[in-house]
Amino acid sequence: MTGPGVTNLNVEGGAGGSDAVYEDLAAMGGLTDDVAGQTLTIAMTSHRYLADADVVASGILNPAGLVRFEGALLGALDGPSGLTATSAAIGLRGLALQATNQAYQLTDDLNAQALAAGRWLAGAAIGSTGLLGTAAAAGGTAAVIAADVHLNYDGDWQRWLVEHPGMVDTLLGMTPGTLSAMGFPSTLGSLTGLIAEAYPDGDAQLLDKGLATDPRATTPPGGLGDLIDGLDFRNTQNSDVRGEGSNIDVKAVKDANGNITGYIVDVPGTNVWNLPGGDKGSANDFGVNVDGMAGNETVLQKGIDQALQRAGVPADAPVMLVGHSQGGIIAARAANDFVTNGQYNVTHVITAGSPVGNIPVPDSVQVLSLENNGDVVPHLDARDNPATDNRTTVTFDNQTGTAGGNHAISGPGGQDANYEAAARQLDGSTDPSVVRFRDGLGNFTGGTSVDTHQYKVERKQ
């Protein structure tokens, strides 16, 4: 199914955003913190009444009444005027006492935390009700979904899912609360870390595949659209067969005198969807996804380091990492580690369809994240990207009706579509955040020639 094309580009964060420089939430001040914390504690403690034996027992005689009671109590605790929201409001009062930049910082952070807390508490409410309460809550949830299905569902479950990608955020955000209430204390981060433990990462093995000869790899990029087109080419070369293809390139961009002005590293997405104990050879498997989101150094990141060394990239040379899906996760994570450790001078990162909201990035690194509103994958971290002055997020609409179409870099045969089409639109954008990002790309998009070194990163076996 073909959608109407890329529309409704929206830009958040970056140089034209709210210029919020985030600091520690402790800056709120001890007293306000204590009051907000006590209020939230009261709200969380009050959830035990959802599992009160007498309340649960009443559901046997009056299931509908039980659902109404629990709905009313959840509203009082977690609704717009409930105790949880009151806790956030108290925190905002303390925030107002701080400098203007701190106000921006904490407002944004509390909004994200309040949303996460609300999802956690909703999950905890379900988990704390026991079997009967869970059935009642599930019945209520099913009724809501059924109503939506009645109004919107046309028999195509995949299309319905990609038209409601926010369901992914909600369900992921609720899971830790549900498990915690059932006696398995957890957060989304700890759950991701636990899953990552089931995927031992291993050591990287780098295979040098020589210089690329395809025109898409030998033509110097002139803008954002060309950069995403180059990433798409690298994605098509990524084979799941050991020793075949290439999954990393290091492009040396040169000026008219043959001097290298910067290096571009393209990192494609997942190509092996394996369960724990499955494929151990691919550096683009599901385990790398989990490890990357859990904050671990992955075999793919180790391979990028090896590729930069093999290509002879100096520590002070400008480097840009460009990644799609899993590649964006690893690009952001590698940028943080490389800069923090002083290994490489990563100045820019571009991600397409990647859940990178929880990945820290140094202030010196400019990040542009592209996200299709109908793409489920960027929702897998259950949070929005930070809207700081060095992180720009561009969302857009391109509804194809399929998960694969909404997540693809381009269209059939490499034609401009989806993420590549959005990037080409940004080449002509006058938004100040996009303009500032483009203006900083001279080392990468102002060249007259480029040498593309190809590598295959695999796990040692």
Side-chain angles (χ1 to χ4, degrees):
M1 180 179 294
T2 302
V6 172
T7 59
N8 299 326
L9 275 74
N10 181 64
V11 181
E12 295 185 3
S18 58
D19 195 21
V21 179
Y22 290 102
E23 296 179 359
D24 198 321
L25 287 177
M28 285 179 60
L31 178 60
T32 306
D33 255 349
D34 289 342
V35 174
Q38 290 171 9
T39 306
L40 184 58
T41 298
I42 293 172
M44 295 181 67
T45 302
S46 298
H47 282 84
R48 72 176 185 269
Y49 293 109
L50 292 167
D52 182 85
D54 292 335
V55 173
V56 173
S58 71
I60 298 176
L61 300 176
N62 186 3
L66 174 62
V67 173
R68 288 194 297 271
F69 168 79
E70 292 186 343
L73 182 55
L74 283 174
L77 295 175
D78 306 326
S81 300
L83 288 180
T84 302
T86 300
S87 172
I90 294 173
L92 289 175
R93 291 190 183 96
L95 175 64
L97 301 176
Q98 310 306 316
T100 301
N101 66 323
Q102 292 175 321
Y104 281 124
Q105 163 207 329
L106 205 51
T107 299
D108 291 343
D109 198 40
L110 282 179
N111 283 339
Q113 291 199 15
L115 179 59
R119 290 168 177 163
W120 191 97
L121 289 169
I126 292 176
S128 66
T129 58
L131 181 60
L132 179 61
T134 300
T141 303
V144 174
I145 294 177
D148 187 71
V149 169
H150 176 72
L151 294 174
N152 302 300
Y153 188 62
D154 61 358
D156 187 339
W157 69 267
Q158 184 175 197
R159 183 179 183 88
W160 188 76
L161 176 62
V162 297
E163 289 179 350
H164 301 79
M167 289 172 54
V168 176
D169 302 77
T170 301
L171 291 175
L172 287 175
M174 289 173 61
T175 300
T178 302
L179 293 177
S180 296
M182 296 173 66
F184 305 96
S186 62
T187 64
L188 190 56
S190 65
L191 284 176
T192 305
L194 184 63
I195 298 172
E197 289 293 328
Y199 288 92
D201 195 56
D203 296 319
Q205 173 177 287
L206 186 72
L207 305 178
D208 193 330
K209 294 293 187 171
L211 291 175
T213 58
D214 188 280
R216 296 174 72 183
T218 58
T219 303
L224 295 172
D226 290 344
L227 289 168
I228 299 301
D229 182 57
L231 175 63
D232 185 48
F233 170 72
R234 183 55 44 209
N235 189 61
T236 63
Q237 306 306 300
N238 187 14
S239 171
D240 59 359
V241 178
R242 287 187 66 84
E244 292 187 4
S246 52
N247 59 352
I248 295 292
D249 65 31
V250 179
K251 296 178 178 177
V253 180
K254 301 178 180 180
D255 63 17
N257 296 317
N259 300 314
I260 297 175
T261 61
Y263 295 87
I264 304 169
V265 181
D266 292 324
V267 192
T270 311
N271 69 353
V272 174
W273 297 92
N274 55 313
L275 296 172
D279 183 276
K280 295 294 194 307
S282 176
N284 292 101
D285 68 358
F286 184 70
V288 169
N289 280 320
V290 180
D291 273 312
M293 293 184 69
N296 302 326
E297 184 185 33
T298 64
V299 67
L300 185 54
Q301 180 176 326
K302 297 170 188 174
I304 294 173
D305 184 11
Q306 292 179 15
L308 290 169
Q309 292 182 47
R310 185 74 63 88
V313 177
D316 60 349
V319 174
M320 175 165 61
L321 304 176
V322 185
H324 172 246
S325 192
Q326 175 191 91
I329 297 173
I330 304 307
R333 187 71 66 187
N336 181 68
D337 293 350
F338 290 165
V339 171
T340 300
N341 298 331
Q343 293 173 267
Y344 301 104
N345 179 29
V346 180
T347 62
H348 291 76
V349 172
I350 299 177
T351 69
S354 305
V356 295
N358 289 317
I359 300 178
V361 177
D363 293 341
S364 62
V365 180
Q366 294 295 316
V367 181
L368 175 65
S369 295
L370 309 180
E371 298 184 358
N372 180 355
N373 288 323
D375 186 354
V376 174
V377 175
H379 291 267
L380 294 178
D381 55 2
R383 66 157 293 170
D384 293 333
N385 295 337
T388 53
D389 57 351
N390 70 313
R391 299 188 68 162
T392 302
T393 299
V394 178
T395 58
F396 61 91
D397 291 331
N398 181 43
Q399 186 55 258
T400 69
T402 67
N406 287 3
H407 188 55
I409 300 177
S410 64
Q415 66 181 0
D416 286 359
N418 209 38
Y419 284 106
E420 184 174 343
R424 293 204 184 279
Q425 285 196 34
L426 292 179
D427 280 329
S429 172
T430 58
D431 181 275
S433 294
V434 177
V435 170
R436 179 71 64 86
F437 188 88
R438 287 202 316 259
D439 287 347
L441 296 179
N443 290 322
F444 312 107
T445 58
T448 57
S449 64
V450 61
D451 292 334
T452 298
H453 302 266
Q454 304 176 109
Y455 303 96
K456 180 68 178 290
V457 179
E458 299 174 341
R459 280 191 179 88
K460 285 185 179 179
Q461 288 187 322

